[in-house]
Amino acid sequence: METRGYAALEVNTPLVPYTFNRRALRDGDVAFDITYAGICHSDIHTARGEWGDVIVPLVPGHEIVGIVTEVGPSVTKFAVGDRVGVGVFIDSCGTCENCQAGEQQYCLKGMTGTYNGLERDGVTPALGGYSNKFVIDQNYALKVPDSLDMSGVAPLLCAGITLYSPLRHWKAGPGKKVGIVGLGGLGHMGVKFAAAMGAEVTVFSHSAEKEADAMRMGAKHFVITKDPSALASLAESFDLILNTVSAELDINLYLNLLKMDGTVVVIGLPGKPYAVSAFNLLRLRRSLTGSMIGGIPQTQEMLDFCAEHNIVSDVEVIKADYINEAYERTVASDVKYRFVIDASTF
Ligand code: NAP
Ligand code: ZN
């Protein structure tokens, strides 16, 4: 299936137009025309080689929505014309205990990423969503509610589920104080979800001009992290803090904000390790942990939650030829709050 997209032909080079063929439809597959694809900071880390090896040509993109154009003979979940979404993985072993539990992102044999690898047949390159067509096994595709704006849905497939999952796992809700560090693509979804779940939300940001937006999204408090005394005055007051910052930061400042048995969840993935003070961790029996996207059942639950609460991402829709500039602006924290590519421009 001839497909037009954008690719990095070498690591850490600008993305350029790239035409390739997607594999033929298998029995249980759906093919779809992509309508929108979000730009996740992970795309940028990968394309720039910040996380290690890159398989080129690299077609990034793992926040994908579109309309089904063809279904294989054994497909039951989708029909031609349906809305469909794809996130960070396109396959997994399907048989290990984590896959069986619907936590495919933690597949013991390794999930198959949407890009920068091979499919499980060991030969077909996995090429991502910065393109106009896609083919996927129906079991790894999501149903997109009809009521939601498609451009705003695309970022839910990574940014959305990545914040929804830990908020559910650590039981954000009424009576809980939740902190979201970094108001970017991931962070702004965390604010919307935590507020909709009934938690009291504080945003920690190094961008003072984002305060009004944070409040509009449901935050009760906004703390500018450039002022260390503002952080110190909040010591021992939070149940849960989700760190979405893509750059290095001092995690100890946030551990110190946890009350008894509170939890800091690492979600942002700068290439370098975090330094952690043992004293900060032991005091008040605090936890430091991580969370990676979410499984297929929970991603569907998140999309249905969005339909119920009328939640989508705040997006800036761009044309394909703006991708490289969008990368620069994302790294500079200058996006409100997710760039989404209009796939008709590939
Ligand atoms: P993003 O849109 O660029 O947002 C990151 C935010 O971090 C920025 O908006 C900014 O918020 C803050 N920030 C950036 N640089 C900073 C700096 N130098 N100092 C302090 N704060 C800074 O990125 P994203 O797409 O949300 O992704 C965030 C991170 O999560 C990335 O590392 C990405 O790879 C990772 N990620 C993890 C998962 C997972 O499963 N765990 C999934 C997807 C992505 P303020 O302006 O408000 O300070
Ligand atoms: Zn992502």
Side-chain angles (χ1 to χ4, degrees):
M1 188 185 298
E2 191 176 281
T3 305
R4 291 190 310 275
Y6 259 57
L9 301 181
E10 295 296 335
V11 64
N12 208 10
T13 57
L15 275 68
V16 294
Y18 177 65
T19 301
F20 58 99
N21 284 308
R22 294 228 180 251
R23 65 172 166 77
L25 208 68
R26 295 174 189 150
D27 272 6
D29 280 350
V30 297
F32 65 92
D33 282 347
I34 298 177
T35 50
Y36 296 99
I39 294 181
C40 177
H41 208 118
S42 300
D43 303 345
I44 305 173
H45 290 304
T46 305
R48 296 188 171 178
E50 291 167 3
W51 288 348
D53 289 347
V54 183
I55 299 173
V56 289
L58 175 83
V59 178
H62 59 208
E63 297 185 333
I64 311 166
V65 292
I67 304 290
V68 174
T69 52
E70 207 182 338
V71 296
S74 63
V75 169
T76 51
K77 194 170 155 185
F78 294 93
V80 171
D82 283 357
R83 292 172 157 211
V84 57
V86 173
V88 177
F89 55 92
I90 51 169
D91 205 351
S92 67
C93 83
T95 55
C96 73
E97 59 188 90
N98 294 347
C99 285
Q100 291 287 313
E103 301 272 20
Q104 295 89 347
Q105 74 280 28
Y106 301 123
C107 173
L108 295 175
K109 294 188 177 147
M111 65 174 189
T112 305
T114 305
Y115 60 80
N116 197 29
L118 297 174
E119 294 198 18
R120 287 189 114 70
D121 61 12
V123 289
T124 309
L127 299 168
Y130 294 7
S131 57
N132 67 340
K133 291 179 189 295
F134 209 82
V135 180
I136 187 167
D137 179 333
Q138 62 170 343
N139 294 317
Y140 293 84
L142 285 306
K143 294 180 81 72
V144 173
D146 284 327
S147 61
L148 299 174
D149 173 71
M150 281 291 255
S151 61
V153 169
L156 301 177
L157 278 307
C158 173
I161 183 59
T162 299
L163 274 286
Y164 183 89
S165 186
L167 288 167
R168 282 292 189 224
H169 186 80
W170 283 281
K171 302 189 168 47
K176 293 284 180 74
K177 286 194 176 181
V178 173
I180 304 286
V181 190
L183 194 69
L186 269 57
H188 92 291
M189 291 314 310
V191 175
K192 291 184 182 201
F193 287 145
M197 290 171 191
E200 183 178 328
V201 183
T202 300
V203 169
F204 296 92
S205 172
H206 81 314
S207 307
E209 70 280 4
K210 292 181 181 174
E211 178 165 2
D213 288 340
M215 298 310 199
R216 174 178 53 77
M217 291 169 194
K220 281 274 181 311
H221 317 278
F222 186 86
V223 178
I224 297 167
T225 52
K226 282 172 181 162
D227 173 9
S229 65
L231 283 184
S233 70
L234 296 170
E236 300 171 12
S237 61
F238 283 85
D239 299 284
L240 177 64
I241 297 178
L242 308 183
N243 168 30
T244 75
V245 173
S246 49
E248 286 170 61
L249 104 180
D250 183 358
I251 204 88
N252 298 296
L253 294 173
Y254 297 96
L255 282 172
N256 199 36
L257 305 191
L258 295 177
K259 55 166 87 149
M260 181 78 188
D261 286 327
T263 305
V264 165
V265 185
V266 170
I267 293 170
L269 281 163
K272 291 203 181 131
Y274 292 101
V276 179
S277 150
F279 290 97
N280 251 340
L281 208 50
L282 270 56
R283 190 175 147 62
L284 302 182
R285 200 167 55 198
R286 290 156 169 156
S287 298
L288 175 62
T289 180
S291 184
M292 191 173 81
I293 41 176
I296 294 293
Q298 197 175 43
T299 306
Q300 192 61 59
E301 177 190 310
M302 179 271 310
L303 288 168
D304 297 342
F305 180 90
C306 287
E308 192 184 321
H309 294 268
N310 199 22
I311 292 174
V312 287
S313 171
D314 289 19
V315 297
E316 294 189 41
V317 176
I318 61 165
K319 293 182 178 162
D321 62 8
Y322 192 76
I323 290 172
N324 295 302
E325 206 165 329
Y327 273 26
E328 295 302 329
R329 284 185 49 198
T330 300
V331 172
S333 307
D334 174 24
V335 47
K336 294 195 166 169
Y337 276 82
R338 195 57 135 191
F339 286 114
V340 169
I341 310 159
D342 175 350
S344 71
T345 63
F346 283 114

